[in-house]
Amino acid sequence: MKLDFIDVDHLSIATTNMRGKGKDPDVSDLLPSVRARGVLVPLLVRPNCAEGRFEIVAGRRRFTAVNVVAREGGAVKPIPCAILDEGDDADALEASMLENLARVRPDEVSQWEAFVALVKSGRSVGEVADTFGFEPSAVKRILALGNLLPRIRTLYRRGAIDAGTVRHLTLASKSQQKAWLALFDDENTYCPTGHQLKAWLFGGTAIAVNHALFDVEEAKLAIVSDLFGEDSYFADSDAFWSAQMAAIEARKAEYLEAGWSDVVVMERGDWFRSWDYVHASKRKGGRIYVEVRDSGEVSFHEGYVTTKEAKRLSGGGGSDDENTPAAKPARPEVSGPLNAYIDLHRHAAVRADLASHGGVALRAMLAHVISGADLWRVDIESQRAPKEDIAESVETCPAETAFDIKRRAVLAVLGFDEDTPTVTGRPLHRPPFALLFARLLELPDPVVLEIVAIVMGETLAAGSEAVEMIGLHLGTDMRQHWQADAAFFDQLRDREVLLAITGEVAGAEVAAANAGEKAKALKSIIADCLAGTNGRAKAEPWVPQWMAFPPAAYTSRGGVGGVKAAARVAFALSASADADPVEQDCASVDEETPLAA
């Protein structure tokens, strides 16, 4: 390798350059420096077939910035270059990748293309991993992107689908990938993504291989794995359950042979509620309870009797050996009243200190809400819809998609599984308060506030005064989040309302001319105006009055939940305005001034 200065017109992008495909990269961050001082860091180049010409292996962004300066009419000097030896594509590609990875990490599809080229050039997976500081499993995962259809890789590169969706698509066969692409391309059809995609691929619950009690290799059941090579699932759930139940029966026989009084296999999906049972040894009639989850996971709870049985046994007095007196329980070192005294004083001291630490209190409040600990019981808005098409409309709308993206970011920050449907814990599926609070204490205030916003969104009741008040305060513009779809038109049937909407989108004259038309014709006029089809001028972005903030009714008949809630909000605000004014608005209080001052 040698260093030299090469004219700009003697350079071109090499095919081995990792960023050599697609449109020119963004160089706005480089331009000020290149304009002022030129290129300071040498480009990696190698000779190509033409005399005196060189290909850029690494440094496309610097080369692009120089060309921008040239187009602006600026002075362009020869560029410093490090010239590689001729003929070694693999070395050139490695040089390109190492330089790019040291700067801005390229997307996984670009890495895949480069790794494939290296492997074809004779590099082993281990050599590629050692060169770039990757784990071999990470290189294999990136190479496994080759199992995807090219168009899916392109969509992933462009950011049209997220990493979670791509991961689940690697579980799909080529025919399933094609079917999914057909759904993706059809604007009128629901396309499953994320954790919902996994259910779509398996026709219901996906059963992980690690939940099998039987020998998987010996059973020879069909298994599919994702690109990470870490998660594998059974392709045939019926075959899995046949083998799993047989394994459970075999374990049951082993327990009975070992002397347990009984083995109770619970119905699939039933939970073993430990508070309904008491530990009991094998000698005292304890039995085994087998909990079988829909996910395929099986838990064996050894040595339990029901609380009723435990009371009956304890009421009989004595022990298994009548000649041995019952052991006297150890006396605790503090009495019940003294324990209450200790707890209450410690509680008073902590909350006195907490009153001066709003940031800690916010994190504790957030941990309580998410974990449902102690005195807190918070429900999640279920978003239940009366019809399937309404549910699909909400699940696929831009607003829900935007919220889900931010929710997944919060899940990642908290260390939760990316497929967890909510940040806020559901009953029996709640994270422990202590671990969650400790994690929140590590996070800066802006991140905590983002988590607060997601949790508030998950626990915000649809149709409530809270929605009206928050939307009004934020100035929520429904035109940015919603547009009329098939589900909306299917539920729109009132002719008086349809005629009023026709006047809004098509004008009063059109509405008057079609006053005698049926609902179906009015819907067609509205749809044509919103889309600008069938010769009608396209209307401005529109939302019905009920969905705006504040909402309004079209007729005197009313009956719109959001309008009623907004009326209650307006009444409350009016009553508040009529009351004695406070000396200082809450929003104007100096945050640095203690409230007790």
Side-chain angles (χ1 to χ4, degrees), residues 492 494-502 526 546 554-555 557:
L492 194 57
D494 189 295
R495 279 194 72 261
E496 187 179 356
V497 171
L498 280 165
L499 202 57
I501 292 175
T502 302
I526 296 168
W546 317 300
Y554 280 100
T555 71
R557 289 174 282 138

Side-chain angles (χ1 to χ4, degrees), residues 213-403:
L213 297 178
F214 51 89
D215 189 318
V216 176
E217 292 185 6
E218 184 178 327
K220 297 181 179 179
L221 300 182
I223 294 172
V224 290
S225 301
D226 67 11
L227 66 89
F228 289 85
E230 300 168 355
D231 297 335
S232 299
Y233 303 89
F234 289 100
D236 186 342
S237 60
D238 291 338
F240 163 81
W241 281 115
S242 296
Q244 188 80 331
M245 295 310 296
I248 291 173
E249 289 299 322
R251 290 282 293 272
K252 177 179 178 178
E254 291 175 4
Y255 276 120
L256 293 174
E257 188 176 346
W260 290 93
S261 63
D262 192 13
V263 178
V264 179
V265 180
M266 304 172 69
E267 290 292 327
R268 190 194 306 175
D270 284 355
W271 288 76
F272 179 81
R273 296 175 173 83
S274 58
W275 55 85
D276 288 335
Y277 299 87
V278 176
H279 273 290
S281 66
K282 187 188 301 182
R283 289 187 308 146
K284 293 186 176 181
R287 60 178 71 91
I288 311 296
Y289 287 87
V290 185
E291 183 181 20
V292 185
R293 302 279 180 82
D294 289 325
S295 63
E297 187 177 2
V298 179
S299 300
F300 294 86
H301 302 277
E302 299 181 354
Y304 282 92
V305 294
T306 64
T307 52
K308 184 181 294 186
E309 290 174 313
K311 289 179 181 178
R312 177 172 53 80
L313 291 172
S314 63
S319 63
D320 292 336
D321 186 349
E322 293 183 359
N323 297 321
T324 303
K328 186 177 181 179
R331 186 182 67 182
E333 63 183 85
V334 297
S335 64
L338 178 56
N339 199 71
Y341 176 92
I342 295 169
D343 286 345
L344 290 171
H345 273 283
R346 295 178 79 245
H347 171 267
V350 168
R351 72 177 182 179
D353 284 348
L354 186 63
S356 302
H357 295 82
V360 176
L362 174 64
R363 287 161 172 80
M365 180 184 293
L366 187 55
H368 267 114
V369 172
I370 295 175
S371 65
D374 304 322
L375 303 179
W376 291 73
R377 291 294 180 270
V378 179
D379 293 326
I380 301 167
E381 169 55 54
S382 61
Q383 294 182 305
R384 290 178 182 171
K387 295 185 178 181
E388 186 175 343
D389 59 342
I390 296 177
E392 184 176 323
S393 175
V394 174
E395 287 175 5
T396 58
C397 72
E400 193 66 19
T401 301
F403 184 81

Side-chain angles (χ1 to χ4, degrees), residues 22-43:
K23 63 182 181 179
D24 285 342
D26 178 22
V27 294
S28 57
D29 56 330
L30 297 179
L31 276 175
S33 174
V34 173
R35 287 191 187 108
R37 295 181 294 274
V39 175
L40 301 179
V41 180
L43 280 62

